[in-house]
């Protein structure tokens, strides 16, 4: 029904911005429901918005292309059976509800 993103839960890194979203569900949802999370971690990577990435695009463009590929590897792992096996074994691993990757092979700084 609603969410808040407290500044205390925000992280602005060299290669991504992220925040913890605290979720409020409707009155018909029981508190502590196993199916609905109380919070989620939102990670956003827009290479062109990050100063470090813009500098890297000028000084080390091949490393920037590598970084773009690493985000795809991260998303693929979080959606993989191997990750699910770790969770089933009791290892605390983030659950990816969605990953929207928009790599730009010709100009990695335009990747999202």
């Amino acid at each position: 029904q609603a969410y808040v993103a407290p500044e205390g839960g925000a992280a602005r890194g060299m290669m991504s911005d992220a925040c913890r979203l605290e979720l409020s569900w409707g009155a018909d949802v029981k508190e502590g429901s196993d199916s609905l999370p109380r919070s989620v971690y939102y990670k956003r990577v827009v290479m062109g918005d990050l100063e470090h990435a813009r500098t890297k695009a000028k000084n080390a463009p091949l490393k920037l292309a590598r970084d773009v590929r690493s985000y795809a590897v991260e998303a693929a792992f979080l959606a993989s059976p191997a990750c699910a096996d770790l969770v089933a074994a009791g290892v605390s691993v983030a659950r990816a509800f969605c990953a929207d990757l928009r790599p730009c092979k010709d100009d990695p700084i335009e990747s999202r």
Side-chain angles (χ1 to χ4, degrees), residues 2-101:
Y3 69 91
V4 295
E7 182 63 29
R12 292 170 187 82
M14 289 184 359
M15 296 304 292
S16 66
D17 295 321
C19 68
R20 168 86 36 208
L21 299 175
E22 297 174 2
L23 309 173
S24 299
W25 301 101
D28 58 330
V29 177
K30 285 194 304 183
E31 185 67 28
S33 172
D34 288 338
S35 62
L36 298 173
R38 294 182 181 174
S39 71
V40 294
Y41 190 72
Y42 177 74
K43 181 178 179 180
R44 180 176 184 264
V45 179
V46 178
M47 293 292 195
D49 289 354
L50 300 166
E51 181 157 348
H52 181 75
R54 289 192 308 269
T55 301
K56 193 180 278 190
K58 292 176 188 172
N59 300 334
L62 294 178
K63 287 185 177 181
L64 186 65
R66 175 207 60 200
D67 293 344
V68 170
R69 288 189 307 273
S70 77
Y71 290 120
V73 170
E74 177 184 11
F77 169 74
L78 291 173
S80 73
C83 184
D85 289 345
L86 288 172
V87 171
V91 177
S92 180
V93 179
R95 176 179 171 199
F97 290 97
C98 178
D100 181 10
L101 303 173

